Amino acid sequence: MQLPFRMLQGVEVAGFMLLGLASRNPLLPLQRGTSTALLFAGVAAIYVVCSLAAVPEQPGIGSPSEWFAVLGMFAGVAGCVFLFVLIGRSRVLECVGRHSIVFYALNALMLNAAKLAVFRVLHVNGAALPAAGQWAVGVIVAVLAMLFMAVADLLVQRWM
């Protein structure tokens, strides 16, 4: 059974967000520079290696693949923090961060509404299009979903 609006994925993402918030204070004193870039490259490499090694041959709690998955998770969170330190201030990222809960909660609904508008209302037959046409329709659907999401976010921020 799927929860409405992909709420289960939102709960999973919330764990990573809380892990990022918990690691923020120890990592906040970092400054932009070569050392932070090297740290980012190092944890990104650890993440890639752990992601490749975490493919379970013998799945189960305590198996080596689980340990690689956990190490990869921490490396991924650290990599995101280092990347944000390298980026510095960004109004776009600050806006996304402020409204991320709305984005997570309504993303699937808005994407489905955009697909409905393109494929059912406008009668676009994506399967009959050549590869370039399918790619273009995919971009149009994504842009339309983002527009729907912007309107939904404005409504949520104003009245909820």
Side-chain angles (χ1 to χ4, degrees):
M1 180 172 123
Q2 288 219 302
L3 294 172
F5 310 117
R6 301 281 189 197
M7 288 171 53
L8 185 59
Q9 284 81 4
V11 171
E12 291 173 4
V13 168
F16 287 102
M17 291 171 66
L18 291 174
L19 189 57
L21 284 172
S23 64
R24 181 183 74 171
N25 288 336
L27 298 175
L28 200 57
L30 290 173
Q31 301 295 321
R32 292 173 67 179
T34 307
S35 61
T36 305
L38 291 173
L39 285 171
F40 170 71
V43 295
I46 290 171
Y47 173 79
V48 169
V49 168
C50 288
S51 295
L52 295 174
V55 177
E57 293 176 11
Q58 298 174 336
I61 297 175
S63 69
S65 65
E66 291 291 323
W67 289 106
F68 280 115
V70 170
L71 179 60
M73 175 191 65
F74 284 112
V77 168
C80 287
V81 172
F82 293 144
L83 180 62
F84 293 141
V85 168
L86 289 172
I87 290 172
R89 292 189 65 92
S90 168
R91 290 187 346 182
V92 172
L93 292 177
E94 287 174 4
C95 178
V96 169
R98 245 189 326 275
H99 304 274
S100 62
I101 297 300
V102 176
F103 295 158
Y104 285 128
L106 297 178
N107 179 45
L109 179 65
M110 295 299 117
L111 183 59
N112 286 337
K115 289 190 285 188
L116 181 71
V118 170
F119 297 118
R120 296 287 172 115
V121 175
L122 299 177
H123 302 290
V124 174
N125 185 0
L129 295 173
Q134 290 178 4
W135 185 84
V137 169
V139 169
I140 290 168
V141 168
V143 169
L144 188 60
M146 286 188 268
L147 291 173
F148 288 171
M149 182 61 70
V151 171
D153 182 54
L154 289 173
L155 294 173
V156 167
Q157 297 301 328
R158 180 171 176 122
W159 285 296
M160 293 188 170

